[in-house]
Amino acid sequence: MYQEAKQKLRGSIAPIVTPFDEKMNVDYDAIKSLIEWHIESGSHGISVTGTTGEPSSLTIEEREQVMETAIKTAAGRVPVVPGTGSTNHAEALHLTKRAQEMGADAAMVIVPYYNKPNQQALYNHFKIIANSVDIPVIIYNIPGRTATNLEVKTLARLSEDCKNIIGVKESNKDFEHINRVLLNCGRDFLLYSGIELLCYPMLAIGGAGHVSATANVAPKEVADIYNLWAAGDVEAAIDLHYKLMPLNDVLFKDTNPGPLKAAMGMMGKINPALRLPMGPPSNALQEEIRQTLVGYGMLNEKVGAE
């Protein structure tokens, strides 16, 4: 069962934003449109309610409805891997069980943020969640947001003791740590990059793909990094890696998903609103984002100037 998932859950799993309407309600129709665009553009999978989806700004009921909307819209055409983690263990357990009930292909569970658990507590947290479901579980390690790093030895214990923990999304700038994941967890363990500038490098060491926020504005190009690598066209993959670097840089000059939503608003994809405590990027950064999109041909210069 899990070996099949390991073959299926590869490539660009796009972590889509959660759009809000003018009244700050979740715009479920916009979510459906975004998913259709991603499928048409070649994204290999969809993730919702992860960091880019502002889960901490959503109620539990909203998170469940966003997950259900994504699963029903994708309708089996691509895998759906919702983020089900929380700083509250009971909430993470509940959401992961609900993801299975809804038919998710896997669940992505973040290292709990703010409360800074020790390694044994992290082990207990993830083991209980994984043992509560039969679907694959992908752990999400993002120490820059959580203030806690899931150590390789803890991850290796989990992968050994919980056969449905099949991978990790590493938003970790420590590339030595990332290399040791596959050394200690096995080369068939699914390693995804959650850092844009490491999407290509992780493939080069045996990674399974990436969960890149940039896919929200350039889904085809982000998917093609994986496609080119898988086809053996290494030089073209490297060229695309460097071509996307200025776009990646500008989208992370303020906290994600602020710049990303601003860019998507300029492209006419969504209403770029964020719920407090998040807020839009500065006017100067928004202009830089606009000019970057124009340079990539993603925005008409005349329209952008109006």
Side-chain angles (χ1 to χ4, degrees), residues 204-275:
I205 64 167
H210 32 264
V211 188
S212 167
T214 302
N216 281 274
V217 296
K220 180 182 185 301
E221 291 79 4
V222 173
D224 277 346
I225 292 177
Y226 178 84
N227 293 335
L228 290 166
W229 171 259
D233 197 342
V234 175
E235 287 301 319
I238 294 173
D239 287 345
L240 186 52
H241 165 75
Y242 284 108
K243 179 182 177 181
L244 289 174
M245 196 175 291
L247 179 62
N248 290 326
D249 286 346
V250 79
L251 291 177
F252 286 86
K253 287 193 172 183
D254 197 355
T255 305
N256 182 49
L260 185 59
K261 278 193 160 182
M264 295 176 74
M266 294 171 196
M267 295 168 68
K269 293 294 182 184
I270 61 166
N271 171 34
L274 301 105
R275 284 181 176 171

Side-chain angles (χ1 to χ4, degrees), residues 91-149:
E91 287 181 2
L93 191 62
H94 169 78
L95 287 167
T96 306
K97 289 178 179 178
R98 289 291 291 128
Q100 174 170 294
E101 291 168 3
M102 293 175 187
D105 295 275
M108 189 173 293
V109 187
I110 193 170
V111 170
Y113 37 92
Y114 178 73
N115 42 22
K116 299 178 68 173
N118 63 35
Q119 295 299 307
Q120 183 60 45
L122 287 172
Y123 174 86
N124 295 339
H125 171 74
F126 286 116
K127 184 176 181 180
I128 290 170
I129 290 172
N131 286 345
S132 75
V133 294
D134 295 322
I135 58 173
V137 171
I138 297 165
I139 293 175
Y140 178 14
N141 189 31
I142 179 168
R145 289 262 191 169
T146 64
T148 302
N149 183 43

Side-chain angles (χ1 to χ4, degrees), residues 53-72:
E54 296 174 78
S56 59
S57 297
L58 305 176
T59 66
I60 296 298
E61 292 74 21
E62 286 173 330
R63 288 184 68 173
E64 290 186 40
Q65 193 166 348
V66 170
M67 292 193 302
E68 187 172 24
T69 299
I71 292 165
K72 287 184 175 179

Side-chain angles (χ1 to χ4, degrees), residues 6 10 181-191 205-207:
K6 286 184 176 183
R10 292 179 176 270
V181 167
L182 293 184
L183 177 66
N184 288 273
C185 297
R187 296 276 292 277
D188 67 337
F189 195 68
L190 300 183
L191 173 66
I205 64 167

